[in-house]
Amino acid sequence: MSRWTKKRIDEAFTTLVTQHGYEDITVAMIMEKADVSKTTFYRYFRNKADVMDYHYRSLYDEAFENENCRTLEDLFTLLFRTTREHPEELSLFDTIGYDSYREFIYSYTYRRGRQIIETAWGRPLTEREDFNIAYFCGGGARILEEWACGRYSGMTPEEAGAAAAKIIHGRYQVPIIKK
């Protein structure tokens, strides 16, 4: 039941974002579109930003698995391609603050990048290594936004992914180890 209900809320969210933009939708609109009660909505999500996080985390996680990502370049290419394939994301870049889409992109790439590197190295990152990953992911979230909005329109997702991967110090260029 919970997976089906979350999927209905997610689909309602995506439809509303496409129709109205993120800033103009409300939790009440999502509940009405999904045909769920207030109690049901809040059983699964805290707010509309939580639905946004759930939607894009699911989208990226599924693509990550389906695309058979093997390197960080594959991961970056996936992010660029997925952003281009989902134009509703553009309105999400208008969000600001802790619950913003840019914050989601940062935390997602940081979490995945750290996981990839720690798994490949077989140890936790040092504080300096963690700082390097966090710094790169913060700037990467901004570059993804600028690329999605057309600033680097001459670059394909593959070219953008390769360029992003080249920026990272060589020691972080590790293969992705899947369980």
Side-chain angles (χ1 to χ4, degrees):
M1 175 71 170
S2 68
R3 186 171 288 199
W4 180 80
T5 302
K6 286 176 95 170
K7 183 172 174 50
R8 282 183 53 189
I9 294 169
D10 179 40
E11 289 172 353
F13 168 81
T14 304
T15 300
L16 290 167
V17 166
T18 302
Q19 293 172 347
H20 304 282
Y22 180 80
E23 291 298 323
D24 293 335
I25 64 171
T26 64
V27 168
M29 291 168 71
I30 297 169
M31 289 185 302
E32 182 179 337
K33 184 81 172 167
D35 194 27
V36 297
S37 70
K38 189 175 188 176
T39 302
T40 299
F41 179 89
Y42 287 109
R43 180 177 300 134
Y44 300 107
F45 300 103
R46 293 175 295 127
N47 52 35
K48 71 179 182 178
D50 204 23
V51 181
M52 175 187 68
D53 284 0
Y54 171 81
H55 174 76
Y56 288 103
R57 188 176 47 255
S58 299
L59 178 74
Y60 285 126
D61 284 349
E62 181 180 338
F64 182 84
E65 294 302 321
N66 291 342
E67 298 271 334
N68 195 26
C69 290
R70 303 288 308 144
T71 64
L72 288 175
E73 182 176 331
D74 292 342
L75 175 62
F76 301 144
T77 299
L78 168 75
L79 291 169
F80 285 108
R81 185 174 33 259
T82 303
T83 298
R84 182 148 296 160
E85 291 171 355
H86 294 273
E88 75 276 3
E89 290 184 46
L90 291 178
S91 72
L92 298 176
F93 282 118
D94 293 337
T95 62
I96 58 173
Y98 181 74
D99 286 334
S100 70
Y101 184 64
R102 189 179 304 119
E103 180 65 24
F104 164 77
I105 292 293
Y106 163 75
S107 62
Y108 184 86
T109 56
Y110 170 75
R111 183 178 54 82
R112 274 290 190 186
R114 184 180 176 139
Q115 173 191 17
I116 290 163
I117 294 167
E118 286 181 339
T119 301
W121 289 353
R123 66 169 176 80
L125 298 179
T126 66
E127 185 175 38
R128 184 176 298 274
E129 292 164 344
D130 184 67
F131 177 83
N132 290 339
I133 298 301
Y135 186 83
F136 178 81
C137 292
R142 179 63 185 190
I143 293 300
L144 179 64
E145 174 185 3
E146 290 179 3
W147 182 84
C149 293
R151 179 165 180 194
Y152 305 104
S153 60
M155 296 175 79
T156 66
E158 293 73 22
E159 291 168 334
K166 285 181 183 175
I167 295 169
I168 299 175
H169 188 281
R171 71 183 183 159
Y172 295 107
Q173 296 291 342
V174 296
I176 296 171
I177 299 172
K178 295 187 179 182
K179 295 177 181 177

